[in-house]
Amino acid sequence: MEFSGVRVLVLGDVMLDHYISGRVRRISPEAPVPVACVRKRWTVPGGAANAARNLARLGVGVELVGLAGRDEAGEGLRRELAAEGIGDGLVYSAARGTTRKTRIIAQGQQLLRLDEEEIVPPRPEESALLREKVLERLPGCGALVLSDYGKGVLLDGADGHSLCAPVIAAARERGIPVLVDPKGGQWRRYAGAQCVTPNSAEFALACGLEAGDSPDQRERESLAAALRERHGLERLLLTRGPKGMALFSPDRPPRYIRAAVREVADVSGAGDTVIATLAACVAKGLDWEESALVANTAAGVAVGKPGTAPVALSELNLALRENADNPKLYSLPDLLEKLEEWRRGNASIVFTNGCFDLLHPGHISLIRQCAALGERLVVGLNSDASVRRLKGSGRPIQNEQSRALLLAALQGVDAVVLFDEDTPLELIRRVRPDVLVKGSDYTVETVVGAELVREYGGRVHLAGLMDGCSTTNLVRRMGSDRS
């Protein structure tokens, strides 16, 4: 998955998230409160700016329009946006301060959150500037995201109208889908949007349910249909936390999507990740159902991170691969990231390579011997083109995807990576295994990459062979049987 050339515009309530991290070792003698010894401070874009940050980390070209104050937090937010490569369409107001949320954290837990904010709609002149900036940036965009945190930008003004209506109309005139991350129970301002992405609490509020009400599946589907009809919305993507998501679309049965099962560290900002990923996929041209599946995967990654943290494209692709038919097949860049993770856990890396065209007991013996030499086994697999150059036009018997799938199914194999060269030397250079393994039909001096591995302190191991096991002999026997 990649998003080069995709552009998305975000409009909404921007804020600056400020974190103070420390350690708690005692209770204050002045009051029964913990004393945090401050170790670190940092800031990141928050609210609508976090949605934009998620888009930027996916490789999407993103522009952000919002309202900020002429204050220290506003300048800090502008610096953060520039560092992320996000187009700055902020309107600066002399009448309000920039929303800032300060979280005090110790031992991985939030002790306190301090909110500095003014919840008022934009002044008429501010609203006009915001609208102008949106209209300037809409051409060439694949999607428009309205990120409503209820802080003012998308609220109804003194004249009873919201900025939502004109920008939704302008986007629809250009055929640009509008996606809304909603706030509150008044959704009429989102009329005409292609998709609204409430969580369960926001959905219940918009439906007028009492606190604690838990509709069953049939009631939920009826409520979703009524919401869509009442507010002129094409579809709803309901995010349900550990229960996954539900997509309600016109003229199609609801699609229920299981949650990507991960350990939850922090749900802060997960909604931003969902709408950013959904918008990126829709802008890329994926259908809504496929886009929702990808967004669900991204949400699973986001909640596994502490604090408000975006999901990088490499993390998304890794998670998608883990959900795919062959999660052990890696591209080289993704494998290198995985190797870093394994090495942080002090795992030793074993590497072997080959064509593995027709798996036989000799291959299985080799894999077992490799797996016994370390904690993680990476297998370099010759691509189809590489096999043809080495073995001739009649090979491989099985294509590279089939060979990779069979290898990945073997106990002890942790990663399979294809290489297109005639030898795995460059792959070995990048992987830097602790142990390089080949069969005992080689000598250490003739093993490709042996000198390199030994130079940096690794070792070379020659695995024992099983007599009579050879893919070439199997192919010859198959040929003679057919004749």
Side-chain angles (χ1 to χ4, degrees), residues 114-132:
L114 308 173
D115 288 5
E116 301 167 73
E117 60 186 22
E118 298 174 60
I119 303 177
V120 291
R123 294 180 170 186
E125 64 273 17
E126 294 170 343
S127 185
L129 282 172
L130 290 165
R131 179 180 176 182
E132 181 181 328

Side-chain angles (χ1 to χ4, degrees), residues 14-73:
V14 301
M15 56 190 75
L16 187 69
D17 285 342
H18 179 206
Y19 291 87
I20 302 174
S21 176
R23 289 187 63 83
V24 171
R25 299 184 184 275
R26 62 192 179 95
I27 300 298
S28 171
E30 302 166 359
V33 295
V35 175
C37 181
V38 176
R39 297 289 183 86
K40 185 179 179 182
R41 300 171 183 263
W42 70 95
T43 58
V44 295
N50 185 49
R53 186 183 180 213
N54 271 272
L55 283 159
R57 292 295 180 91
L58 291 175
V60 175
V62 56
E63 297 273 343
L64 175 65
V65 177
L67 197 58
R70 294 188 178 278
D71 51 21
E72 180 186 351

Side-chain angles (χ1 to χ4, degrees), residues 426-445:
E426 183 57 28
L427 180 57
I428 292 168
R429 192 186 310 278
R430 302 295 298 279
V431 171
R432 291 181 65 84
D434 300 291
V435 186
L436 173 61
V437 183
K438 287 297 286 184
S440 58
D441 51 340
Y442 288 80
T443 64
V444 170
E445 290 72 24

